[in-house]
Amino acid sequence: MQAVISFKESGGRATLDPRTSILSIFVISMVMIGGGLSGVEYWLRLFCCLIPFVFLVTVHNYQFAAIYLGLYLFSAVIEGAVIQLTSGGWNLLFVIVAGIISRFLAPMVMGYCVMQSTTVSEFVTAMERIHVPQVITIPLSVMFRFFPTISEENKAVSEAMRMRQISGKKQSLIKKMEYELVPVMMSTVRIADELSQASLTKGLGGDIKRTHICEVGLRIRDYVLMLFLLVVTVLFVVY
Amino acid sequence: MIMIEIKNVTFSYRVTDTVGNPVLRTGVSGLNLTIRDGEFIVLTGSSGCGKTTVCRLINGLIPHYFDGEKSGEVLLNGRDISAQPIYETAQTVGSVFQNPRSQFFNVDTTSELAFFAENQGRAPEKIRSDIQEISDKMELSELLGRSMFKLSGGEKQKIACGTIAVADSSVIVLDEPSSNLDTNAIEDLRKVLAMWKEQGKTVVIAEHRLYFLRELADRVILFESGEIKKEIAGKEFRELSADATKELGLRTVQSHSASAFKEWKETMEYFTLTNFRFSYPDKVHGIDISSLTLPKNKIIAIVGHNGAGKSTLARTFCGLHKKAKGTVKLGDKTVPVTKMLDYCYMIMQDVNHQLFTESVQEEVLLSVSESLPETEREQIARNALEMLDIEKYAEMHPMALSGGQKQRVAIASGIAADKEFILMDEPTSGLDYVHMKQVAGVMEMLKEQGKTLLVITHDDELISCCADYILYLEKGSVKHSGPVDIRYDGV
């Protein structure tokens, strides 16, 4: 289940307030994807790619932190040196690979960290605080609640395919993909339907003001990070 | 005081038939039912008899979620349910559903317990202290703060009941809550129901399995084709004999009714499992069987509690666990488990996972060996369809069939695949008496065809009507195995 993107499954309060988390995903994406490789922007990007690293270390996910650091060092070496030493097709390949890693890895990892440390109810509550309507938050939270379900269904169907020895059959690849996808879709649709019924009978989506037992609120760490993110945004826009 | 009053209600679902035309399917017709405050009502009857429709009428899913034509009215505390939104009804009525996997909104257990009460706008401190109190009472403490996805079906169902208990609903509607549960989990469910009854809650439960409701029911209502066929008072219900329930087409009321077993007929052929080992990453669950000899061409029931290793054994036997070790001695051949897929076919608990194609015919054809000439393949497929009496559905999409028909399609594919062993995972969970007997009939027929059946089951009635041999697992090892007539005590 580790590889599946979903909300936090257990444990205590989120490391960061969901609002800070979402702001940081936006800022990191903006700087990492849109920023240049020299001058002030170089330092801003360096700062932004360190945020997910620090996050991973604070939640004790050292293995992932090490892989993350390794990938960034790798892309830094390529962007800093290898590109100057090569030319032609190889050069193009290196530029593409290093570019994808250095521009997209940080926002993706930050998104992963946020999901892994936030529960559904913390997310819904924080969204309510900034007056995002339920029409947006409920589908969003259901969507992420659903990824592990899809993965469970997919596992069951691929097992059935193995049992029926489909891979040995003279069927086209497209046909085999269809065999896998259709049952997965059918059963996720059914689960979604049953989930809506269960949620409705538990009073979701009513006019009554929801309360919440989770603690959501900005703490010093949130203010500090927000301040940094603000500075980064200002510098990024100015330069 | 009257809590729920169903007055002359007729409801038909608006559904599409197999060719896509809109049709009406009767849910209930001309139903009158009055439920007093604090009553414990059991709704029973075969599949599609209307008991689920009654649950939906009470929690407001009809008419607010399900589309159809309705007449008459349902009053809850004197107020018309169709005139108020579902979340108003939800202030009074809490619902537990059949499928444990699809009724939780949150990913972690604690948030899920609070969810219903949060939606009602209760004060957070009150909810927190209620969660503490409820989890002490219902023995949920060790489930708090965990991932919903890592709980067993029984544990999920316990959380679902906990959510209702925290919200303190005064009416509780349960739609076949025991379908996917084993004996231990049903006992937990029974305790929760007893607690609610003691607290004076109004409980309405639709069920096939009746034995655990014996001491709880104030009234049992038997449905047939959308109408009330018979009302049985609690006292009378407790004393129903096995013959009387059979007569009514119901599951047994007595917990140890299974007395008559099949007579054991000695067999000449056996197969032997050697050094079956598999352990899950948690190091607690898995199987460890050094040697186990079982009879061929018999119906072997695999029993034991959740987590005892029944599924693991079955899946290892089939060769589905890539990392599992072991061999199977079949006559003079010794086959490693990794090659057992060539000999086994498994009917999964959720058959939806194993039906892939666009028509029943194609589904069965897919299983037939491709090395045979085309005409012969078609003949084999046709035979399999006829054997299960589903040739009339040959052109239909498997997903358009009912649950029982789908199961037959899966079994027909198994026959067409011409495998020696047929494994079944809980083939009768959630089935009424008549359908359970049908499945038992199909199993007997497979045996006559020379197949060996390994059946994982919690269903005592199924065991007593068709199993020849029993294999009782505990903590991954064999606790007992032998002919079913000297059945191990206390399974």
Side-chain angles (χ1 to χ4, degrees):
Chain A
M1 212 59 72
Q2 275 303 308
V4 181
I5 299 175
S6 174
F7 281 106
K8 185 169 66 166
E9 299 180 332
S10 54
R13 184 176 170 178
T15 321
L16 288 174
D17 184 275
R19 288 163 286 183
T20 323
S21 305
I22 289 171
L23 180 69
S24 61
I25 295 176
F26 277 124
V27 175
I28 291 173
S29 308
M30 175 179 78
V31 174
M32 295 309 289
I33 297 171
L37 295 174
S38 58
V40 179
E41 293 191 355
Y42 175 82
W43 295 105
L44 291 180
R45 291 189 76 220
L46 186 66
F47 175 75
C48 282
C49 83
L50 280 174
I51 300 175
F53 177 73
V54 173
F55 205 124
L56 285 169
V57 172
T58 43
V59 297
H60 308 291
N61 198 342
Y62 301 117
Q63 199 186 353
F64 197 167
I67 295 171
Y68 177 77
L69 194 66
L71 281 168
Y72 262 101
L73 285 176
F74 169 75
S75 74
V77 169
I78 290 185
E79 283 184 336
V82 180
I83 286 174
Q84 268 95 47
L85 301 174
T86 53
S87 61
W90 282 109
N91 183 275
L92 188 67
L93 184 73
F94 280 127
V95 169
I96 291 171
V97 170
I100 287 174
I101 294 175
S102 85
R103 290 189 183 275
F104 294 104
L105 187 64
M108 274 160 54
V109 172
M110 192 63 202
Y112 170 83
C113 291
V114 168
M115 295 298 300
Q116 287 288 305
S117 70
T118 312
T119 63
V120 179
S121 57
E122 280 168 341
F123 173 77
V124 173
T125 310
M127 290 301 102
E128 266 169 24
R129 291 267 175 89
I130 49 173
H131 304 289
V132 176
Q134 282 197 344
V135 205
I136 296 172
T137 49
I138 293 176
L140 261 180
S141 50
V142 170
M143 187 175 91
F144 287 108
R145 141 83 174 77
F146 240 76
F147 285 121
T149 301
I150 296 174
S151 132
E152 273 184 355
E153 294 304 303
N154 192 41
K155 236 172 85 185
V157 173
S158 9
E159 194 168 275
M161 291 187 68
R162 230 154 35 86
M163 190 274 296
R164 296 194 60 183
Q165 300 180 309
I166 302 288
S167 57
K169 305 268 174 196
K170 283 181 252 160
Q171 301 272 3
S172 68
L173 191 65
I174 304 276
K175 202 79 194 160
K176 283 175 189 165
M177 274 169 67
E178 184 192 311
Y179 287 168
E180 175 137 15
L181 278 177
V182 173
V184 171
M185 271 156 53
M186 294 294 281
S187 58
T188 37
V189 166
R190 199 184 65 242
I191 292 175
D193 184 45
E194 290 172 4
L195 179 65
S196 333
Q197 294 175 31
S199 307
L200 281 171
T201 60
K202 291 197 179 84
L204 186 69
D207 284 343
I208 305 158
K209 176 108 182 66
R210 275 192 99 237
T211 51
H212 41 82
I213 58 160
C214 56
E215 294 173 84
V216 171
L218 299 169
R219 286 173 289 183
I220 293 172
R221 60 177 94 166
D222 293 299
Y223 287 115
V224 172
L225 185 58
M226 277 203 199
L227 187 69
F228 274 117
L229 292 170
L230 190 70
V231 172
V232 167
T233 313
V234 169
L235 287 173
F236 187 77
V237 173
V238 171
Y239 285 94
Chain B
M1 200 186 91
I2 290 167
M3 185 52 108
I4 301 159
E5 211 177 350
I6 301 177
K7 281 188 189 161
N8 201 16
V9 170
T10 299
F11 182 81
S12 303
Y13 294 92
R14 198 166 286 128
V15 290
T16 44
D17 66 6
T18 46
V19 279
N21 295 321
V23 286
L24 288 173
R25 199 186 70 225
T26 310
V28 290
S29 59
L31 178 69
N32 283 294
L33 181 63
T34 306
I35 299 170
R36 285 184 303 279
D37 190 12
E39 252 193 310
F40 194 110
I41 305 282
V42 177
L43 311 171
T44 192
S46 60
S47 311
C49 68
K51 55 188 189 305
T52 297
T53 306
V54 177
C55 294
R56 290 169 179 166
L57 284 168
I58 297 171
N59 61 25
L61 285 173
I62 294 176
H64 297 291
Y65 186 83
F66 289 96
D67 193 20
E69 278 175 16
K70 178 173 171 268
S71 66
E73 55 181 3
V74 183
L75 303 178
L76 173 71
N77 270 331
R79 292 171 65 187
D80 187 356
I81 287 179
S82 61
Q84 61 187 22
I86 295 193
Y87 62 85
E88 285 286 331
T89 308
Q91 298 275 6
T92 318
V93 182
S95 309
V96 177
F97 297 85
Q98 179 176 11
N99 187 348
R101 288 187 303 159
S102 62
Q103 57 178 314
F104 54 94
F105 182 82
N106 292 273
V107 181
D108 65 300
T109 49
T110 314
S111 308
E112 182 61 27
L113 282 173
F115 182 66
F116 193 7
E118 287 178 339
N119 287 334
Q120 298 186 349
R122 299 266 166 89
E125 302 75 42
K126 171 89 174 99
I127 301 177
R128 274 190 220 115
S129 68
D130 283 351
I131 290 181
Q132 277 313 320
E133 197 190 319
I134 295 293
S135 39
D136 286 344
K137 228 185 255 171
M138 288 174 54
E139 296 161 28
L140 293 173
S141 305
E142 61 180 55
L143 300 180
L144 292 181
R146 284 177 52 189
S147 161
M148 288 299 301
F149 285 98
K150 297 199 173 104
L151 302 186
S152 71
E155 289 170 333
K156 282 178 189 159
Q157 211 62 316
K158 243 175 142 175
I159 294 286
C161 291
T163 307
I164 309 294
V166 171
D168 201 23
S169 310
S170 46
V171 177
I172 298 146
V173 178
L174 305 98
D175 187 8
E176 299 188 32
S178 84
S179 290
N180 296 295
L181 306 185
D182 71 355
T183 345
N184 277 358
I186 290 180
E187 178 53 22
D188 285 342
L189 177 65
R190 194 197 60 78
K191 281 186 199 154
V192 176
L193 292 170
M195 176 186 88
W196 281 334
K197 186 180 162 87
E198 199 182 310
Q199 291 171 346
K201 310 272 187 201
T202 308
V203 179
V204 179
I205 177 168
E207 262 299 349
H208 291 303
R209 287 202 239 202
L210 299 172
Y211 75 88
F212 71 103
L213 301 168
R214 204 163 76 100
E215 304 299 328
L216 296 169
D218 292 322
R219 243 190 315 158
V220 179
I221 294 160
L222 173 60
F223 280 84
E224 196 178 85
S225 355
E227 286 170 31
I228 296 179
K229 186 186 173 194
K230 194 174 159 75
E231 252 195 67
I232 308 166
K235 191 168 167 289
E236 199 186 324
F237 171 67
R238 277 182 267 290
E239 284 152 14
L240 281 180
S241 66
D243 290 335
T245 43
K246 245 177 229 173
E247 184 101 339
L248 293 167
L250 295 178
R251 290 302 197 113
T252 180
V253 176
Q254 314 304 330
S255 46
H256 284 289
S257 70
S259 49
F261 292 113
K262 267 180 22 191
E263 203 179 312
W264 173 246
K265 291 195 190 73
E266 201 49 53
T267 174
M268 289 295 120
E269 281 189 283
Y270 285 88
F271 61 102
T272 306
L273 284 57
T274 317
N275 292 327
F276 263 51
R277 291 190 218 296
F278 180 81
S279 76
Y280 285 100
D282 67 2
K283 306 268 183 234
V284 182
H285 295 93
I287 48 162
D288 186 356
I289 295 169
S290 306
S291 178
L292 172 65
T293 301
L294 295 169
K296 264 193 183 176
N297 195 13
K298 295 280 176 193
I299 298 172
I300 303 164
I302 305 176
V303 299
H305 295 303
N306 275 349
K310 302 185 298 288
S311 295
T312 314
L313 174 65
R315 292 170 64 231
T316 303
F317 186 80
C318 281
L320 281 173
H321 270 310
K322 281 180 187 153
K323 286 185 185 143
K325 293 190 178 66
T327 54
V328 181
K329 195 163 180 297
L330 300 168
D332 44 13
K333 278 180 294 188
T334 300
V335 185
V337 286
T338 45
K339 293 273 181 288
M340 281 302 286
L341 267 180
D342 296 339
Y343 300 88
C344 297
Y345 199 91
M346 183 145 159
I347 310 297
M348 299 175 161
Q349 187 173 6
D350 188 347
V351 284
N352 293 305
H353 290 146
Q354 64 186 116
L355 302 174
F356 307 129
T357 63
E358 279 154 38
S359 77
V360 170
Q361 167 116 20
E362 212 184 311
E363 196 65 54
V364 177
L365 259 179
L366 186 66
S367 285
V368 186
S369 165
E370 283 173 330
S371 55
L372 299 168
E374 202 54 34
T375 48
E376 197 175 327
R377 291 187 69 211
E378 273 167 25
Q379 187 57 43
I380 291 173
R382 211 169 315 128
N383 288 347
L385 288 174
E386 272 167 25
M387 217 177 274
L388 284 152
D389 202 21
I390 45 172
E391 70 273 30
K392 51 184 173 294
Y393 308 121
E395 301 304 319
M396 273 169 65
H397 197 291
M399 293 295 166
L401 302 174
S402 75
Q405 291 163 341
K406 283 182 201 168
Q407 196 181 41
R408 281 167 175 257
V409 175
I411 295 172
S413 316
I415 291 174
D418 196 26
K419 307 280 174 79
E420 222 177 309
F421 295 94
I422 305 236
L423 291 94
M424 296 178 144
D425 192 353
E426 299 280 359
T428 56
S429 77
L431 292 192
D432 60 56
Y433 185 77
V434 177
H435 287 91
M436 184 274 288
K437 286 295 275 189
Q438 278 176 8
V439 174
V442 170
M443 285 162 59
E444 289 285 357
M445 185 204 72
L446 290 170
K447 192 175 88 171
E448 274 164 37
Q449 299 283 317
K451 311 277 184 206
T452 304
L453 282 93
L454 290 147
V455 185
I456 298 175
T457 187
H458 292 125
D459 191 337
D460 281 350
E461 280 174 279
L462 177 74
I463 295 173
S464 76
C465 75
C466 73
D468 300 300
Y469 204 82
I470 198 155
L471 174 61
Y472 179 26
L473 294 181
E474 196 175 87
K475 293 183 183 137
S477 344
V478 178
K479 196 165 180 204
H480 169 79
S481 85
V484 84
D485 54 338
I486 46 162
R487 195 166 167 227
Y488 200 81
D489 215 28
V491 176

